[in-house]
Amino acid sequence: MCWEAVGFRAMVKLILNIVVCLLLINPLVTLAQDGGLTPTLNGENGINASIDENYYADELFEDLYDSEDEERVPPPLRNGLRNVFSNLRTPLNAINALLQLKLELAAAEVSRLLINSTLGIAGFFDVAKKYCAIEGKNEDFGQTLGYYGVGEGFYVVLPILGASTLRDGVALVPDGYADPLSWLVNYETNIVCKGIKGINRLSLDKDTYESVVAEQLDPYLFLRDAYVQNRRCNVND
Amino acid sequence: MKKIIVLALLIFTGMAIIANAAPDTNLTPLGPKEQLQQTVEAVLTILRSGSADEEAKKQKISELVRNRFDYQIMSQGVLGRRWRATDANERSEFVDLFTQLLEETYIGRIRTYKGQEVVYSDAKIRKNRAEVDTVVRDNGVDIPITYKLIFRKQKWVVYDVVIENVSLIRNYRSSYNDILRKKGMASLLEQMTEKIKTLKASQGQTQKQVSA
């Protein structure tokens, strides 16, 4: 990378760090790049409880989707629905790819949006991937912040939304504004769509939570580490 | 990340050797990719076979897996720096428990297999280590799984599995280290034993339900 870009990055990093610090008050923001994450705000029990609460929220919604012995929504429809939602977030991916100076990826996301919204019938089918071999990648503002060197801060489990870190949690705010769904529909409809999106995703990946809880000595630690490993890799790609 | 567990059964698909491999394979030693592929495909064949005897299937898979996965190196990786400070008895107990725990966790999952296909990329070899990237095709979603292998005793063995960027060994190391720091080795071993017991019990139960 040319060193002008590095200078640009350093400047953006500085500004972003200041913004995050101002936003999030205080020394809790550890801008450490390496090493273990700082232990969290809650005690161990508090956190485990919050994982469980999320789970029950999911379960409640899931009953609307699946009854005991039948699938109310057939799997192909679920996959299609997932594609529609992922098509809706392509502008968000493109913006964040641009912010991270990943021009090729930004172009790919734009092409995907154009192809899938038309030929793919509002994104129901992923034509771009299947027939044109254009693959996308989820990019969000948390990754953009990470790209410019903003540290993760501590790990948190957000109600309903699940695993996150301080940085990624803050990043949900700009992501929310950049999400096309929030421009297209009013606030209430947006919330309902988010709910459907979540339930649909969960239905495609049903037994994950139950198995982690059943099989791991400490599900909280296991999920925390998995989340952080996955995020670090996505930030550094 | 979430797919980790659902597809975990494919982790242990990575573990095994063809016990009855023909002798001529020794003459032209297979590379890491081919050796891994043999094991994974052998496990998939067992999974696809219609026979209802789940116990026998589990037994066969476990055998394949134990031949391809080096549980000793994996345990060493999980304990990290603690390995040296651990005495021989505790080490072998840990290896034994960790093996059982992984098997109970992942082999119990064979019922969830729904015909997913595995695609292999060429191995990246550096000295005596290799990485084989694979992709599991699950219902239109591709899940990247990387196997890390090391050449030991004339064959390639798996010592880590990376699913969607999450290393299995690092994942266990991080949670076990926390337990070790707070409560010590004896407590960790105890918790592992306890967990194996509950996993076995719950599996026995589902088996009864299935056959009932």
Side-chain angles (χ1 to χ4, degrees):
Chain A
M1 186 179 294
C2 68
W3 69 276
E4 278 165 284
V6 175
F8 174 64
R9 273 180 77 162
M11 201 176 68
V12 177
K13 172 184 171 174
L14 186 70
I15 295 167
L16 290 176
N17 273 331
I18 294 169
V19 170
V20 170
C21 286
L22 288 177
L23 272 177
L24 283 142
I25 7 169
N26 59 47
L28 285 172
V29 187
T30 41
L31 293 167
Q33 297 292 354
D34 281 313
L37 283 183
T38 0
T40 38
L41 293 173
N42 313 17
E44 230 171 287
N45 292 331
I47 287 151
N48 281 327
S50 65
I51 297 183
D52 282 343
E53 278 153 24
N54 276 347
Y55 174 56
Y56 288 122
D58 292 340
E59 230 189 11
L60 178 75
F61 288 121
E62 212 192 337
D63 281 346
L64 302 170
Y65 216 72
D66 275 326
S67 70
E68 282 271 308
D69 42 18
E70 59 166 348
E71 291 176 329
R72 293 203 172 125
V73 183
L77 192 59
R78 293 176 196 216
N79 283 326
L81 207 56
R82 185 191 53 208
N83 289 344
V84 170
F85 281 117
S86 91
N87 187 49
L88 275 170
R89 71 160 288 151
T90 44
L92 192 61
N93 294 339
I95 293 169
N96 281 299
L98 268 182
L99 288 173
Q100 294 171 52
L101 312 177
K102 296 175 181 168
L103 302 183
E104 253 175 71
L105 182 60
E109 289 291 342
V110 173
S111 329
R112 282 175 58 78
L113 178 68
L114 294 176
I115 296 170
N116 284 344
S117 304
T118 51
L119 297 174
I121 310 169
F124 197 86
F125 301 101
D126 193 346
V127 182
K129 182 179 170 189
K130 202 161 185 195
Y131 299 102
C132 314
I134 306 175
E135 298 215 21
K137 224 186 121 285
N138 279 357
E139 294 287 347
D140 53 48
F141 200 61
Q143 288 176 52
T144 303
L145 288 176
Y147 175 81
Y148 289 106
V150 178
E152 290 149 336
F154 48 79
Y155 176 80
V156 284
V157 180
L158 301 171
I160 313 286
L161 298 168
S164 191
T165 57
L166 180 57
R167 179 194 68 207
D168 297 342
V170 173
L172 289 174
V173 178
D175 274 343
Y177 283 110
D179 186 350
L181 205 58
S182 69
W183 318 330
L184 294 173
V185 296
N186 66 19
Y187 183 72
E188 287 78 15
T189 322
N190 190 7
I191 300 276
V192 172
C193 289
K194 287 280 147 58
I196 294 171
K197 182 181 176 179
I199 299 161
N200 189 59
R201 192 186 57 199
L202 189 77
S203 82
L204 289 163
D205 187 11
K206 234 171 174 179
D207 47 16
T208 303
Y209 177 86
E210 286 149 75
S211 11
V212 171
V213 170
E215 287 151 5
Q216 294 308 319
L217 296 184
D218 189 329
Y220 167 70
L221 292 173
F222 191 86
L223 290 174
R224 181 177 80 180
D225 182 71
Y227 175 79
V228 171
Q229 276 195 52
N230 179 272
R231 285 296 286 181
R232 283 194 182 153
C233 196
N234 283 330
V235 166
N236 294 327
D237 59 7
Chain B
M1 180 180 86
K2 282 196 161 186
K3 289 284 177 188
I4 303 174
I5 305 297
V6 183
L7 281 137
L9 82 112
L10 287 140
I11 283 178
F12 74 95
T13 38
M15 336 185 181
I17 200 188
I18 314 312
N20 50 0
D24 62 342
T25 48
N26 294 333
L27 296 175
T28 45
L30 296 170
K33 176 191 167 190
E34 290 75 17
Q35 292 194 15
L36 176 74
Q37 201 168 354
Q38 275 188 344
T39 302
V40 174
E41 293 305 319
V43 172
L44 292 183
T45 311
I46 296 173
L47 288 176
R48 285 188 196 115
S49 70
S51 89
D53 189 355
E54 225 152 72
E55 218 24 69
K57 273 190 187 178
K58 256 166 91 174
Q59 198 54 46
K60 271 194 230 160
I61 291 171
S62 152
E63 207 175 293
L64 286 166
V65 164
R66 282 179 189 231
N67 269 312
R68 182 59 70 204
F69 273 52
D70 195 317
Y71 287 113
Q72 157 110 27
I73 306 178
M74 292 172 94
S75 305
Q76 226 167 315
V78 169
L79 288 184
R81 260 178 247 155
R82 293 290 295 231
W83 180 261
R84 282 196 198 168
T86 308
D87 69 52
N89 282 342
E90 279 180 335
R91 276 184 193 176
S92 67
E93 193 181 346
F94 182 86
V95 175
D96 183 45
L97 289 175
F98 189 62
T99 309
Q100 283 188 53
L101 199 57
L102 281 187
E103 289 200 337
E104 287 307 321
T105 305
Y106 298 120
I107 298 191
R109 205 64 56 77
I110 54 180
R111 255 173 255 114
T112 62
Y113 179 74
K114 290 191 205 91
Q116 289 92 340
E117 296 286 330
V118 183
V119 184
Y120 308 82
S121 302
D122 283 332
K124 286 170 272 182
I125 304 174
R126 251 183 62 194
K127 291 185 187 163
N128 64 340
R129 295 191 186 218
E131 278 184 35
V132 180
D133 292 335
T134 68
V135 171
V136 176
R137 294 260 141 89
D138 180 33
N139 215 350
V141 183
D142 290 349
I143 296 123
I145 300 184
T146 300
Y147 293 89
K148 295 192 175 184
L149 301 101
I150 185 165
F151 194 71
R152 268 236 168 151
K153 294 177 192 150
Q154 304 307 307
K155 69 177 184 189
W156 288 97
V157 287
V158 177
Y159 70 92
D160 195 4
V161 185
V162 183
I163 306 172
E164 301 240 23
N165 308 326
V166 179
S167 145
L168 181 85
I169 294 305
R170 271 175 61 183
N171 209 178
Y172 274 98
R173 189 196 304 154
S174 137
S175 49
Y176 282 19
N177 266 346
D178 223 82
I179 297 170
L180 281 169
R181 225 185 7 251
K182 284 183 194 144
K183 297 180 183 145
M185 185 55 108
S187 167
L188 176 66
L189 294 175
E190 203 178 296
Q191 285 187 47
M192 290 168 80
T193 319
E194 202 52 43
K195 186 53 88 180
I196 293 166
K197 244 192 245 164
T198 34
L199 284 174
K200 278 190 173 153
S202 72
Q203 266 181 34
Q205 245 170 23
T206 30
Q207 208 130 42
K208 264 180 217 157
Q209 280 171 2
V210 168
S211 53

